[in-house]
Amino acid sequence: MKLVKLILGLAVLAVPLPPEIRAGTETEALLRVLVRKGLLTEAEVEEVRADMADDAAVVVTLARGPEGAAIGRLEPVAEEKSTYPPIVRPKGSRVDAVLIYGELQAQYYSLHSDQAVAANEHLILRRARLGVRATTARHWTAEVLYNFPSQAFHKALVGWNGESVVGPLAIYAGLSKPKVGYEENFSSSALEALERSGATRYFVESNNGRRLAAASFRVGVYLDGNPDAARGRQPGWYFGGALTNADRAYTAAQTASPVAGASHQIAPWGHFGYSAHWGDARLLIGGAAGLLPDQGGLTPTPGADLMVYSAFADFRAGRMRLAGEVLGAQMEAGRASGEDAAPLGYWLQGEFEVTDPMAVVLRYSHTDSDGRGVKVSDGLRSSPAALVGDRLDELYTGFNYRLVGRDVRFQLGYVYGRVAGADEAEHVDGVRSQIQVDF
């Protein structure tokens, strides 16, 4: 009887074949469609799967996708039948595709200060991330990305992506990043200068009495209008916003339960911009802002608010890329004296592809803490630091060598940082290198 139903189902679906079957997910996609049309029950499908186990292709579509891509519909990838046994089977009959991806980075750094403080020289596992993205019928998706070294989620979302009365629209809820900080929203695998700039780190990293924690990971509800334009993939205006917890989520546990003393207010965010294309040249510009209740003060203080904003431009043409960003904040009671602070920072970066696999990179960043204070280590990751000053200058120059496209890449660079106060300064310099594999 099951065989009769299966043959009838094939006849019904033969003209026209549904898109998911034409795309190459033959066996599982076919069974799912037969269930939807009532030609097979779930129990009968399981029996058919058992009968076909010896010949079935891998159920899950295994294909690499860019980690930083906004969640949305995944088109099934047509591939030859795998020689590997099935390793993943979607739980629901309406799951159209499952994508598994990851990133592994091993890093070496040797940084030295001219002050009486020990140098930092280490080999570390910078990131070891594994992600899963599932797409169901009618454009619904779920995605989880976990970083094992930090024991924290880097993404955990459920959302919808499709056409609306205002054009392409993505709505999702969970852990993500508001769009304040263009460089902060780069995928880590796409950082040409190996680490984020000193200015970006000062504005987004954890509040230690100097840094602001004014962007990055937060649990909330997000909206992106015309997300492909926001990523520079097509021309046009884009916009969006979010409502999130005011506090940044640092660990997996904090995504589920706020820490003691966390703000009980919601932070609003907004962003907009434009993407322009001329032949092989592309220009992406944008701005974003957020109002974070109870995040002012030397450390987050009830009743002291923080407003943060950023604006950026990114131009690409041929082998060249130029990008820059300005970040600013208004922080109530942000200084040790109790006065308000208005930190300001910016970064400028140029990249030039010398040969097909190799590119050179140069970046400069400047941060003015406006009396709040800054150490070299606030901007240069893993840097030794002794003095607290008011201004930080950072310089990076290096090269990137693509061993296998952009999937396997080696990076090496020289790092320099300087913190200046009223009467003295500290200088830090050294090298940093990294090998990474994306899959």
Side-chain angles (χ1 to χ4, degrees):
M1 185 62 182
K2 295 188 295 295
L3 181 59
V4 172
K5 286 188 175 183
L6 187 60
I7 294 173
L8 288 175
L10 285 170
V12 170
L13 297 171
V15 182
L17 286 176
E20 54 263 54
I21 295 178
R22 293 199 306 269
T25 57
E26 298 98 355
T27 305
E28 277 300 304
L30 172 60
L31 294 176
R32 289 198 296 272
V33 173
L34 294 177
V35 170
R36 294 175 199 170
K37 293 184 174 290
L39 296 170
L40 286 178
T41 67
E42 288 287 351
E44 291 171 333
V45 165
E46 289 303 320
E47 293 182 29
V48 171
R49 284 171 175 158
D51 293 339
M52 302 174 64
D54 292 337
D55 299 323
V58 173
V59 173
V60 62
T61 300
L62 295 178
R64 186 191 176 279
E67 176 272 319
I71 66 172
R73 181 173 59 184
L74 298 175
E75 296 298 336
V77 179
E79 295 187 355
E80 295 182 2
K81 180 178 175 180
S82 172
T83 59
Y84 295 96
I87 59 173
V88 177
R89 189 178 298 278
K91 179 180 179 181
S93 63
R94 297 180 184 272
V95 175
D96 291 333
V98 177
L99 174 73
I100 298 176
Y101 62 93
E103 174 187 33
L104 188 65
Q105 297 175 341
Q107 187 178 122
Y108 166 78
Y109 58 83
S110 179
L111 302 173
H112 305 261
S113 170
D114 64 356
Q115 300 295 311
V117 59
N120 282 354
E121 183 174 12
H122 294 282
L123 287 159
I124 62 170
L125 187 60
R126 182 65 177 93
R127 294 179 181 88
R129 305 198 295 184
L130 186 64
V132 179
R133 184 186 302 145
T135 303
T136 66
R138 301 186 181 182
H139 310 292
W140 285 94
T141 63
E143 183 172 7
V144 176
L145 176 64
Y146 190 80
N147 186 41
F148 292 90
S150 65
Q151 300 181 11
F153 290 110
H154 282 190
K155 188 181 292 185
L157 298 167
V158 58
W160 178 90
N161 188 346
E163 290 293 328
S164 70
V165 294
V166 296
L169 194 69
I171 304 173
Y172 43 101
L175 180 72
S176 188
K177 294 180 179 181
K179 294 302 189 288
V180 169
Y182 179 60
E183 187 184 34
E184 172 62 12
N185 278 274
F186 284 178
S187 165
S188 59
S189 63
L191 292 172
E192 304 298 346
L194 207 154
E195 293 283 356
R196 291 179 173 89
S197 69
T200 296
R201 288 182 54 83
Y202 183 80
F203 273 79
V204 309
E205 292 294 333
S206 59
N207 187 318
N208 59 1
R210 299 179 300 274
R211 295 186 304 230
L212 307 185
S216 197
F217 300 111
R218 281 172 167 80
V219 177
V221 179
Y222 296 81
L223 181 147
D224 289 332
N226 202 4
D228 281 343
R231 294 191 292 271
R233 296 177 179 175
Q234 65 182 35
W237 291 96
Y238 64 90
F239 64 94
L243 293 173
T244 74
N245 293 335
D247 296 87
R248 177 177 166 173
Y250 298 102
T251 66
Q254 290 176 14
T255 63
S257 179
V259 298
S263 173
H264 298 291
Q265 299 191 58
I266 297 299
W269 307 78
H271 68 272
F272 71 96
Y274 186 75
S275 172
H277 292 193
W278 306 279
D280 69 344
R282 299 183 180 185
L283 174 65
L284 184 65
I285 58 174
L291 177 61
L292 287 66
D294 304 331
Q295 300 302 297
L298 283 182
T299 57
T301 303
D305 297 340
L306 166 64
M307 186 182 74
V308 62
Y309 58 89
S310 67
F312 75 89
D314 189 344
F315 176 74
R316 309 183 191 203
R319 295 175 175 264
M320 178 188 68
R321 180 181 182 184
L322 297 173
E325 181 176 25
V326 176
L327 302 107
Q330 296 291 328
M331 177 175 264
E332 295 179 351
R335 299 179 181 176
S337 63
E339 297 177 298
D340 294 349
L344 184 69
Y346 64 87
W347 59 267
L348 298 168
Q349 179 175 300
E351 178 191 12
F352 183 77
E353 189 177 279
V354 180
T355 63
D356 184 32
M358 189 177 78
V360 294
V361 182
L362 177 65
R363 183 185 67 202
Y364 170 75
S365 75
H366 175 79
T367 305
D368 185 341
S369 73
D370 190 38
R372 182 173 170 83
V374 61
K375 297 179 74 171
V376 176
S377 56
D378 293 331
L380 272 67
R381 191 180 192 277
S382 307
S383 169
L387 300 181
V388 177
D390 195 41
R391 298 175 303 280
L392 168 66
D393 292 287
E394 176 240 6
L395 178 69
Y396 175 92
T397 182
F399 73 90
N400 305 324
Y401 194 89
R402 298 188 297 272
L403 299 171
V404 182
R406 298 191 69 88
D407 298 331
V408 183
R409 183 168 65 159
F410 175 74
Q411 297 174 278
L412 175 65
Y414 169 78
V415 183
Y416 171 81
R418 176 181 181 270
V419 155
D423 302 313
E424 54 186 349
E426 178 179 12
H427 304 261
V428 173
D429 72 342
V431 296
R432 197 188 303 270
S433 64
Q434 181 171 278
I435 181 75
Q436 72 175 35
V437 176
D438 295 338
F439 58 91

